[in-house]
Amino acid sequence: MVSMAHNGIALALGGGGMFGAYQAGLWAGLQPSFAPAHVFGASIGAFNGFAVSSGCDAGQLVDLWLDFREAAEARWRFPWPPWSGCLDATLFHGYLRRHFHRFPPVLPMTVAITRIWPFKPFAVTGQDLTWRHLAASCTLPLMMPPCRLAEGHCLDGGIFAAVPVWAALDAGCERIVAVNIIQGGGARALGTIKSVLCAAGGFNSRVDGGHPDPRVIWVEPSRPLGPLWRSAKWDPALARDWVSLGIHDSAAVLRRIEQWS
């Protein structure tokens, strides 16, 4: 096993909606041989990160994704006022509260969140974390209303950078396994929007998949998960496929991790 105490390798999980099933499969393949020193997550990566940091058997996370009834039961609505979102957040928040308490972290866990004003990302870790921080990190703009936290009104933690490598670097991590489930940053239009937002917020992600860094192992699915719209709705057949792909890809990721040992 790659010891978390000896090697101090962090795991950063990015956002990507229902593509998060891939992360569950990847973790199922990694867990027997790799224990991260610190887990960082944004959006669905924060959701999965809580399970990883709790030390639970990876099979629990996989089972959750293969029978994600709560995601299938999401209620849509006409967004009025417009900023209230087109998805009823009541069921979603209730589920995230249960998820938060079901998987209490035993490893250091950090969640990336975006504050609306000033428009910048920030990270919350340790005892400061609440289920509301998890909910904020998973709150897609225009889909759900912003979450009101002590830090202000907040949204999805992956708005500026899908994978919170910046948070891991800020925490002093020198070895990071970064899992990006939106391959290549997604559609060109999405990349353009992110660039504009980063410029508007004065944010520099410092490192991403397009700019190799010796401190980071970038992991992406070995084949496309599909168009981005597929990430918006849970589908059991797709979830099984993405979980299987994650398990398949884990062997290659472990080989790359072992090179650091």
Side-chain angles (χ1 to χ4, degrees), residues 32-236:
S33 304
F34 169 57
H38 196 137
V39 182
F40 297 81
S43 197
I44 203 64
F47 176 89
N48 285 329
F50 265 88
V52 172
S53 68
S54 76
C56 75
D57 184 89
Q60 287 183 260
L61 183 59
V62 168
D63 288 344
L64 183 158
W65 276 98
L66 295 181
D67 190 16
F68 207 161
R69 297 179 186 273
E70 285 81 2
E73 293 171 355
R75 292 197 299 256
W76 298 89
R77 66 182 183 183
F78 181 78
W80 190 258
W83 57 84
S84 67
C86 56
L87 187 66
D88 185 348
T90 304
L91 288 175
F92 176 72
H93 284 177
Y95 180 75
L96 288 181
R97 184 186 292 130
R98 294 192 297 274
H99 185 81
F100 179 88
H101 292 295
R102 180 184 179 188
F103 297 110
V106 295
L107 297 175
M109 175 71 205
T110 295
V111 172
I113 304 168
T114 300
R115 185 186 286 114
I116 294 178
W117 186 260
F119 191 43
K120 289 184 180 296
F122 67 101
V124 183
T125 192
Q127 296 299 315
D128 294 330
L129 276 172
T130 69
W131 75 266
R132 291 186 178 278
H133 290 103
L134 175 59
S137 188
C138 293
T139 296
L140 292 172
L142 304 180
M143 297 289 286
M144 288 167 279
C147 285
R148 185 172 184 178
L149 306 176
E151 295 86 352
H153 287 84
C154 299
L155 292 168
D156 193 302
I159 289 177
F160 285 89
V163 187
V165 171
W166 61 269
L169 293 173
D170 284 352
C173 299
E174 292 295 329
R175 294 177 175 181
I176 306 160
V177 175
V179 183
N180 178 33
I181 49 178
I182 302 180
Q183 291 163 294
R188 182 177 299 178
L190 181 60
T192 300
I193 291 172
K194 281 186 175 291
S195 297
V196 170
L197 291 175
C198 287
F203 175 76
N204 181 359
S205 64
R206 296 164 57 184
V207 60
D208 58 37
H211 299 83
D213 187 291
R215 297 170 294 180
V216 184
I217 290 177
W218 283 98
V219 178
E220 289 193 351
S222 57
R223 61 173 170 79
L225 300 182
L228 194 58
W229 59 265
R230 282 188 171 175
S231 70
K233 184 178 181 180
W234 178 75
D235 179 287

